[in-house]
Amino acid sequence: MSILSIFVVVDDDSISNMVCKYTIDKFAPKSETQLFTNPEKALAWFKEESTLSTTDKEIILFLDINMPVMSGWEFLNEFETLPERLKSQINIFILSSSIDPDDRDQAENHPLVRGYYSKPLSRETLDQIHG
């Protein structure tokens, strides 16, 4: 499959990030993957990208909820301040190990979140997103 996307993974767990990268590389070998263990650095990357020329590639963001520096919900609050042009290019999916039903409900009702998936990232999840 030749999917040209940019995948961004924001998760404080570096092992989870490596699992995501491996799964994405197998699914879409020609895609670009950015891994962040610090949500603030991910936001800085998005802000930097917003000043560059727009890409025609789809941007898929996998966001963890429970992180020590900044939660996924706090990340989304900051993300909302980015330029509309950039936000419209990015599809956000929660990728979490949380078993709290409130997290799933909050994700399903958040205007920026397109879906909620349980860790680890799987080929099936990627098929659903690109289905």
Side-chain angles (χ1 to χ4, degrees), residues 89-100:
Q89 291 181 273
I90 301 167
N91 295 308
I92 301 173
F93 298 91
I94 300 295
L95 186 64
S96 179
S97 57
S98 172
I99 58 171
D100 184 345

Side-chain angles (χ1 to χ4, degrees), residues 51-91:
T51 62
L52 303 174
S53 62
T54 59
T55 180
D56 59 350
K57 294 180 183 178
E58 177 182 26
I59 301 172
I60 296 171
L61 168 60
F62 290 111
L63 178 63
D64 188 22
I65 296 172
N66 299 311
M67 297 180 282
V69 175
M70 172 187 280
S71 75
W73 307 123
E74 292 168 327
F75 177 94
L76 289 170
N77 289 340
E78 289 294 318
F79 188 86
E80 287 195 32
T81 67
L82 295 177
E84 204 58 46
R85 174 186 53 76
L86 180 65
K87 288 190 296 189
S88 68
Q89 291 181 273
I90 301 167
N91 295 308

